[in-house]
Amino acid sequence: AQKVTQVQTEISVVEKEDVTLDCVYETRDTTYYLFWYKQPPSGELVFLIRRNSFDEQNEISGRYSWNFQKSTSSFNFTITASQVVDSAVYFCALSAYTGGGNKLTFGTGTQLKVEL
Amino acid sequence: GAGVSQSPSNKVTEKGKDVELRCDPISGHTALYWYRQRLGQGLEFLIYFQGNSAPDKSGLPSDRFSAERTGESVSTLTIQRTQQEDSAVYLCASSSQSYEQYFGPGTRLTVT
């Protein structure tokens, strides 16, 4: 069975602070994919990133960066110089490609509040 | 281009009634997924369609839930004899071969 754990239920920061959202996963699959999605107050999930299990290179996209460590089964997400517009619920998700599709297993989400 | 659309955006129904929720995927996306999001929680997988293959129904919580999809187009999620615990946001997603799932705005279902 797959499981995704986001231990931080809610994080509050002041604008321009850096913030890291933790994600730990469990899976028995050898090939899998990890995702981060953003859910702003409007409710619609926005895709942020997908990583393959065999590619542990960290990735940076503007103020966003992701640290994938297979040894600790973690896929953490850092926002540098946070902004009020970053306020949202962030979900980490896992899927295994078994030939039957890639249904996602989601964590319970981390509510990020960025204040002025 | 157009994203995933869902209708209705909100649905209030009485306990015991049947409801139908509709999803229009992104054109050309072969895969379609339904998820449920209860208040303050993550998303739970319900069902998955891939082309003309048999759907993966492993996430459906009871036999009151069913879904259909015609080819690679519209899908309908039906909940029969609704219960209060069915109250949630029902999200639809579609994907192509790249594995990223693109989500619709959801249908907020309230069972009174």
Side-chain angles (χ1 to χ4, degrees):
Chain A
Q2 298 180 331
K3 184 178 180 181
V4 177
T5 301
Q6 295 179 253
V7 295
Q8 301 144 316
T9 305
E10 185 173 318
I11 301 176
S12 291
V13 298
V14 177
E15 202 175 39
K16 297 185 183 178
E17 285 186 8
D18 298 347
V19 58
T20 295
L21 284 61
D22 297 330
C23 173
V24 176
Y25 63 91
E26 297 175 28
T27 181
R28 293 182 180 178
D29 297 298
T30 54
T31 301
Y32 52 90
Y33 301 93
L34 295 161
F35 303 80
W36 277 94
Y37 282 86
K38 174 182 180 179
Q39 188 175 42
S42 61
E44 195 158 343
L45 272 88
V46 176
F47 166 79
L48 295 179
I49 189 172
R50 171 178 65 93
R51 299 297 288 176
N52 302 325
S53 54
F54 42 86
D55 181 2
E56 289 191 65
Q57 282 191 344
N58 291 330
E59 184 158 338
I60 298 174
S61 176
R63 295 185 297 107
Y64 294 171
S65 62
W66 290 270
N67 183 303
F68 175 28
Q69 293 196 348
K70 209 167 181 178
S71 60
T72 56
S73 297
S74 65
F75 185 44
N76 297 336
F77 173 32
T78 297
I79 302 174
T80 302
S82 59
Q83 300 176 1
V84 172
V85 293
D86 296 327
S87 297
V89 180
Y90 291 86
F91 291 98
C92 180
L94 167 70
S95 77
Y97 186 70
T98 62
N102 61 323
K103 55 189 178 185
L104 295 171
T105 299
F106 283 85
T108 51
T110 298
Q111 170 85 58
L112 174 64
K113 295 183 179 179
V114 182
E115 301 168 334
L116 292 171
Chain B
V4 178
S5 61
Q6 293 185 245
S7 62
S9 55
N10 281 284
K11 176 72 177 178
V12 180
T13 189
E14 292 180 354
K15 178 182 173 180
K17 296 287 178 78
D18 298 350
V19 295
E20 282 191 356
L21 312 179
R22 177 188 169 107
C23 172
D24 282 271
I26 293 172
S27 178
H29 279 191
T30 56
L32 186 149
Y33 304 79
W34 284 98
Y35 294 86
R36 176 172 70 178
Q37 185 177 24
R38 289 185 165 135
L39 185 64
Q41 298 186 21
L43 282 73
E44 305 168 72
F45 166 77
L46 296 177
I47 188 170
Y48 156 74
F49 297 89
Q50 172 68 58
N52 294 317
S53 302
D56 178 349
K57 305 179 181 180
S58 60
L60 294 178
S62 77
D63 58 8
R64 296 187 295 105
F65 288 72
S66 63
E68 293 183 349
R69 187 185 187 194
T70 304
E72 295 184 354
S73 61
V74 171
S75 175
T76 302
L77 176 69
T78 300
I79 308 173
Q80 296 178 312
R81 305 181 302 281
T82 52
Q83 303 295 313
Q84 288 187 331
E85 63 262 27
D86 298 335
S87 295
V89 176
Y90 289 83
L91 290 154
C92 175
S94 69
S95 71
S96 60
Q97 297 302 314
S98 62
Y99 304 116
E100 290 94 60
Q101 294 182 23
Y102 294 90
F103 285 80
T107 293
R108 182 175 298 279
L109 175 66
T110 303
V111 181
T112 60

